Amino acid sequence: KLIAAALVGTMVLTMAGCTSKTAETTGSEASSDAAGGTLVMATNAEFPPYEYYEGENVVGIDADIAAAVADKLGMELKIEDMAFDSIIPAVTSGKADIGLAGMTVTEDRLENVDFSDTYAHATQVVIVKEDSDIASPDDLEGKKIGVQLGTTGDIYAGDIKDATVERYNKGSDAIQALKTGKIDCVIIDKQPAEAFVEKNDDLKILDDTFDAEEYAICIAKD
Ligand code: GLN
């Protein structure tokens, strides 16, 4: 009986090996008309918990989603880290197959790319120093506001009367500028804001937020 069980076990393992091999082969054949077996994801890996570095690797919610998509397509995932405002150009030029970067679906972006179904809800929040006189987004008139270049936070800040908008490539650079008093606040997506504030006791997030937004994967229109 024991020998029989061992043999069955060996067979199952052997068959499992065959199955995954077949899946790989089918995958690379299926993908030959897509990206030659590699799914290239463009992102800006400065946006925890969606994308950030763990050692040399880009990890996070978006990296996990892309890995699951690549797996389903039988493709190998390659992540390209770039400035946030380079992601859509990378996708439209075909340098990347997908843009996954906690990217909000906006009318403007829809003119250049298509979006998948949305996968997360978000809002823009305001981060200030603990002792700030700014108590709500209504107090931002005439203030120095830090944002990430080309993001929805950048768009909102641009609409605020008499405000000076300082644009940074990384959320963490905006946070640093806020801590050293170069700017009065930072407008950024809520989840990265929480990740930044958790590491900085001298900062807080205001309760009031801007309008609701939705994240989706962007792909070329064709
Ligand atoms: N959700 C914001 C946007 O799409 C910010 C995204 C980001 O900085 N990665 O503009």
Side-chain angles (χ1 to χ4, degrees):
K1 263 191 184 165
L2 273 176
I3 291 167
L7 282 174
V8 168
T10 316
M11 261 171 74
V12 169
L13 282 178
T14 317
M15 278 157 71
C18 286
T19 315
S20 70
K21 235 207 176 108
T22 315
E24 268 164 35
T25 315
T26 316
S28 55
E29 275 164 11
S31 63
S32 59
D33 59 347
T38 305
L39 184 74
V40 180
M41 160 182 162
T43 196
N44 173 233
E46 307 287 343
F47 202 68
Y50 286 88
E51 39 269 328
Y52 55 98
Y53 278 93
E54 217 169 68
E56 304 263 279
N57 298 320
V58 176
V59 298
I61 297 167
D62 286 338
D64 287 349
I65 292 173
V69 171
D71 192 42
K72 185 151 185 180
L73 296 174
M75 297 171 87
E76 203 182 303
L77 176 65
K78 188 168 171 224
I79 301 180
E80 301 270 9
D81 182 20
M82 59 189 73
F84 184 77
D85 64 345
S86 298
I87 296 171
I88 288 183
V91 167
T92 55
S93 68
K95 276 191 204 125
D97 301 303
I98 54 175
L100 250 159
M103 188 180 283
T104 305
V105 181
T106 69
E107 288 302 322
D108 277 356
R109 290 173 183 163
L110 277 166
E111 284 182 11
N112 297 306
V113 286
D114 283 344
F115 279 100
S116 67
D117 289 346
T118 58
Y119 64 85
H121 298 280
T123 49
Q124 299 294 310
V125 297
V126 183
I127 307 177
V128 292
K129 279 196 161 176
E130 271 294 349
D131 57 1
S132 173
D133 57 350
I134 301 171
S136 93
D138 298 335
D139 302 333
L140 297 180
E141 219 178 285
K143 298 287 186 199
K144 272 196 187 159
I145 305 173
V147 296
Q148 276 180 286
L149 176 70
T151 60
T152 45
D154 189 354
I155 299 167
Y156 285 123
D159 288 341
I160 296 166
K161 203 171 157 247
D162 298 329
T164 312
V165 185
E166 299 287 344
R167 300 179 170 87
Y168 300 88
N169 276 327
K170 303 176 184 179
S172 55
D173 290 344
I175 296 295
Q176 220 41 52
L178 176 60
K179 284 170 77 76
T180 55
K182 287 197 190 116
I183 51 177
D184 302 309
C185 68
V186 173
I187 301 180
I188 193 165
D189 301 52
K190 189 171 180 196
Q191 279 176 284
E194 284 167 350
F196 289 129
V197 169
E198 203 177 303
K199 287 195 198 138
N200 293 284
D201 302 344
D202 53 336
L203 303 180
K204 65 177 180 188
I205 300 173
L206 300 184
D207 290 338
D208 288 345
T209 64
F210 290 90
D211 292 343
E213 302 182 353
E214 285 182 333
Y215 294 164
I217 305 173
C218 73
I219 47 173
K221 279 189 182 285
D222 58 2

